Amino acid sequence: MSAWLVPSLRFRCLAIKDNIVTASYPTTCGSKLLQDYQSPFGAWVTPAINKRCTVPITGKTKLDEFGMGSHSQNSSSGSVVFEFGGESLSPGGSSGGSALAVADPAVPGVVAFGTDTGGSVRLPAAYTGVVGFKPSYGILSRHGVVPYANSLDTVGILARNVGAAASLLSFSRDCDTRDPSTLSEESRDRAHKVRAEARPGKRGADQLNIDPLSHRKRVLRYQQSGFSGMRIGVPVEYNIKELAPEVKQAWHEALWLLEQHGCTIVPISLPSTKHALSAYYVIAPAEASSNLAKYDGVRYGTRRGQSDAIGKVLYSHTRGSFGEEVKRRILLGSYTLSSDAIDNYFIKAQKVRRLVQRDFDRVFAIPNPLRDSTQYDLSDMDESILLQDKLGPPQVEFIVCPTTPTTSPTLESLSKQTPVDSYMNDVFTVPASLAGLPAIGIPFNQLANSPRIDKPIGIQIIGQYSDDVQVLAVADTLISLQKLKSLKEESTHEVEEARLPVPTNHFEGHSGHLRVDPKPSIRHRGNAPRGLRGVRYHDVGPHHRPKGWAKGNLLPRVRTVKHDYWRRENDTYNSKNGNRPSIRWWKVRGRTSPKRVPEISTTLAKWEDDLSGGGSKP
Amino acid sequence: MARLAPGVLRRYLLGGQLPSGGYLNRLRTVQRLPAISKRYHETQTTPEVTAHSAAIPFRKQLKDDAKSRKAEGTSKIAKVNNQTLEKWELTVGIEIHAQLNTKRKLFSSARSTIDHTPNTQVEYFDLALPGSMPLFQTETLIPALRAALALNCNIQERSKFDRKHYFHWDQPAGYQITQYYEPFAKDGNITLYAHDGIAKEDGEEIKIGIKQVQMEQDTAKTISEPGDIHLLDFNRVGLPLIEIITLPVIHHPSTAAAFVRKVQILLKSVDACVLGMQSGGLRADVNVSVRRRDAEEGRYEYAGMKGLGQRTEIKNLSSFKAVEDAIIAERDRQIQVLESGGAIEGETRGWTIGHKDTVRLRGKEGEVDYRYMPDPDIAPVIIGQDLIGHLQSTMGVLPDEEIEILTKQIGLTIKDAMSLLSIHEAGMYYFFRDVVDELMSLNGHPRESVEETSNSDGYQKDLWRLGRLAGNWVLHEMGGLNHPEANQENPLDMRSDGCCRISSVEVAKIVFYLDRNRITGASAKKVLSTLFKSSYETAPSDLEEAAKSYPPASLQSIDEIIEEAGLWFVPLSDDEYVDLANSILDMKVVEEILSGKEGKINFLLGKMMRQDKSGRVDPKKATEVLRRVIEEHRK
């Protein structure tokens, strides 16, 4: 038994979004046109194909039709509802089903594959309070992913904790020759060299290893010795008018925490961000209109025995069974590609995409391994870009920002929204998609030890291209820091020893190779608590098995989950009254204490000043 | 691929005779010989039925057409000069689609065969299954690059694939992957000569500019059956094609047909594709527009050519004749419309063999906007100079260069060149080249140093003199040989690779001795026929055996034959000449000559030549001696 397989015990079963083909289940993409479609082959990321992973597929999860939507409401197999605090909320989209399958407290140990085109994994993760990771474009093979917008699609991972996401990534990251857009091994090596050069020392050297063990080690190091001078960028353009106060609050808290642990918070400018959303909604529908051209009833889709020419235009009958949102995007895409409009829309949008990528490359201290390093002339830069010194604008390692401007909206409020309103939710997730960067959305207020029964809020960490492992490590550390903080708040800053809160890991005690000691002692050294210094971990050895697991039966039997985020076979459309899962807040403390407004450090205060002076409007 | 496949060249020279049965025949012979280059396609057995043509049997259609013409009273279309019109100028641009000779499809590893059981050579991507992805097969570039080089194109270092969207049942993805924005080859040209069959008005030669050459996917094959049933064979979907797009610079219908014919020959000669038009491996679309010669310029611009009239497109022409006839019909239709005060609409039209008119397929309002989009899954193709250089150096000689060598350097007439190429599957041509090579090396131009010496004057002069001589001997003298036991069709048992009963080395030696005056023409003929006869007595019946011991070992060498028969040319002494002259002298003729009829001397010369049985009389010397003897009679 290699050390590889042991960490797979971090999760028991795998849910797969219904737009990733599987040989064992039909793949409907939430569309009537594919309602009976059984793929003859499985996607590369599915365990049967990818021999490294032994976790069984539990089922396919619902989604917005072909991944088009932000709330998982546009599906022929019924919408997905996130029951929270007595309200029916949007689970986010388009991987809403996958997110709920992971978030469901009744079924622990689920990890899920989603797809992230413009935030389809990070958005539902933020709304439902789980971890949603979009790797760099080209790290996970798209072979078997029914394309929505090929140049933006990535396979994303949803999990309860970052460690599980990291394990799943490590299983499926291999270079796949069947997907021409995956990064070859040589390119990966080259990217690694670029990163190692730009980030000298140990942090640079171990980046090739993506395995869960290395991940754990990285997190441990951050926890023990802090971030020591890491520069975190805060894009001023993201401080938009629509940003909800509680989201802004969480953002502040995250930045404050990072600063407390050695990060330097730097305001940065990404001037093209304001056009990114428009560019996305030109490029993605254009590619979608092309990808969906095959569903004409000749091979896919049901024809009802009439001629294709019945109706106003060719195939109008067959292709009429697309959902409203899909039809809207096909029309939009067909228009922006038409010979009269392409220059004004598609070509322009591609140029904006380049500018967005340039913005990121300029801001990140690590060069983009896919592009030659460019000199950015100060005179070329947007006037709004803040300069650090006379040499130019500041450079950072990561960008931290909210995942979504607001928390999950109620379904009721959704019904009043126009389609364009719902496009707004993607405003923070789309730039990383356009640039192909790794980005992770983590739940930020869930575990706060406060009486809040607030809706989940997501914080997003974006890194330079191919810097996936560091993004994961920083995200994992940030979560643990927050846990520690709430713990300390609870213990009124005086208790020397305390219990850790419920671990994010649902497999307490059998999390794999390394295990958190249920009763660590926390010793303060000096004035400031630096990370989880002093928390002891002990190796439980490779042969550790959870209680009750028979030898040789590493994989537990999974009971069949029947909630309506699973796409069911023979589903009747719009089964809203199905066995809806009731997602409760799993730790609600009865104690009340006033909301603690974090101390704004000097840097942060300066940033505030800058914002009040020149904060951008969307 | 050292040099051109001669079968192709032969057909090229003979114009109208384009490969059908003969070509297949050649394929069979090629298989026996060590293949110079691999052929991946096999023949297509099922004739293509295009989507546009109704399922009427072709024969019946022709019959019906003939009937209807008879009924109209125009049983014969007047054969007038259809190429040019006084008042109107025609402009034509052509797009040719040609199937590449490759092993695999363009974006999947499925085999590119055409005669397999339908729908067996298909990968997931070919059917556009959801989630399948394209995998560009780099090997398909090689024939495409050869084609582009043969068409004198600039190979682009970077090219990209785009999606062209339109709905049709033969298109599983709903789009065709092609190269629209950045094709792999641009700005080419080919030169058409009078012997290519261009219109007289275009003079001796005309250069046709090629805008671009692009790679793209083929569609599925539709087989139409009665009862509105269409069967699809996805074996063909995704096969690599190249599309060759010309500039609108052609002004005569027959030049257009000549262009298509020449492209087919060029593509075959560089082994870029193997199927001709008649088997569906090549299809042409033409764009036709007309404008008045005297009026102001038209308002339209295509591919940078300004001042043209509104064009229409005629799709799916599958023979050279169809190209020419369709252009003529469309030109006449457009002129008629314009002369009656109408306007031409930009539309797509069809043409069916045997019809007089083009048929409207779809108009402007039904025009497809292909919504070209760069394919986001396929990386740009980067073609290195080293590959281009390698292909260029191994591509060999193109048909026009070959003809230039035969006519301009060796000094054959076009007619002789054609004969060489048309006899015995061009075996004569190969044989001839071997003879010339051998002759040149006997004359001090060894094969090994051709590179250095081929530009020298001496080499050129020798090649010209010896080439013509050898041509004469190979074509006329060897062509006249026969033997009672021989195969009357092919007495020499000439094979298509240029091996026959007589080795080229021996023929070269005969011609060499003749050229050096070591034997006379008459003796050379004798030696040749002795050699030929002895081959029937001694040569092994199996020619392949003979080929192994090339040159075939005959019992006697040329030198021995000459020695034995005493044929070495020993010039006659002066006395012998005088004796000979005196013996045939006819006083009556002598008097006539002396009285001024100088021409009569040739009569005596002829007599003198005939008298000489050994063939040693040199006519020059004989004339000289005759004059002297006659002058003596004047006294």
Side-chain angles (χ1 to χ4, degrees), chain B residues 160 248 389 523:
Chain B
K160 277 168 75 181
S523 356

Side-chain angles (χ1 to χ4, degrees), chain B residues 580 583-584 605-615 617:
Chain B
L580 195 62
S583 70
I584 51 102
L605 181 63
K607 263 181 133 181
M608 199 166 155
M609 300 292 280
R610 276 196 295 280
Q611 193 71 26
D612 171 46
K613 292 282 185 293
S614 62
V617 174

Side-chain angles (χ1 to χ4, degrees), chain A residues 21 37 40-41 142 144-145 150 177-180 287 290-291 293-295 299-300 315 319 334 337-339 342 346, chain B residues 124 127-135 163 165 167-169 171-175 181 369 371-374 376-377:
Chain A
V21 299
Y37 179 68
F41 66 100
R142 287 188 296 117
V145 174
N150 317 46
T177 49
R178 279 168 292 183
D179 173 5
E287 293 186 18
S290 167
N291 289 324
K294 64 177 75 162
Y295 305 106
R299 289 154 308 275
Y300 314 106
Y315 300 122
R319 288 173 70 78
S334 302
L337 285 179
S338 63
S339 52
I342 187 164
F346 189 72
Chain B
Y124 294 143
L127 287 176
L129 286 185
S132 59
M133 302 191 86
L135 290 174
R163 294 176 176 182
H165 299 90
F167 287 113
H168 206 274
W169 61 59
Q171 181 96 282
Y175 55 81
Y181 294 110
D369 186 339
R371 309 194 311 279
Y372 289 100
M373 182 187 87
D377 276 339

Side-chain angles (χ1 to χ4, degrees), chain B residues 30-79:
Chain B
V30 162
Q31 276 156 6
R32 272 199 285 127
L33 302 167
I36 302 163
S37 56
K38 260 200 185 132
R39 276 168 214 290
Y40 298 114
H41 283 319
E42 288 133 70
T43 46
Q44 191 170 25
T45 44
T46 329
E48 171 88 354
V49 180
T50 55
H52 305 299
S53 63
I56 304 166
F58 181 62
R59 241 169 221 289
K60 184 172 182 323
Q61 192 186 323
L62 285 182
K63 257 186 195 168
D64 289 350
D65 291 340
K67 252 186 214 167
S68 66
R69 271 205 303 275
K70 213 170 192 179
E72 283 167 31
T74 51
S75 59
K76 255 187 184 170
I77 305 164
K79 188 82 183 169

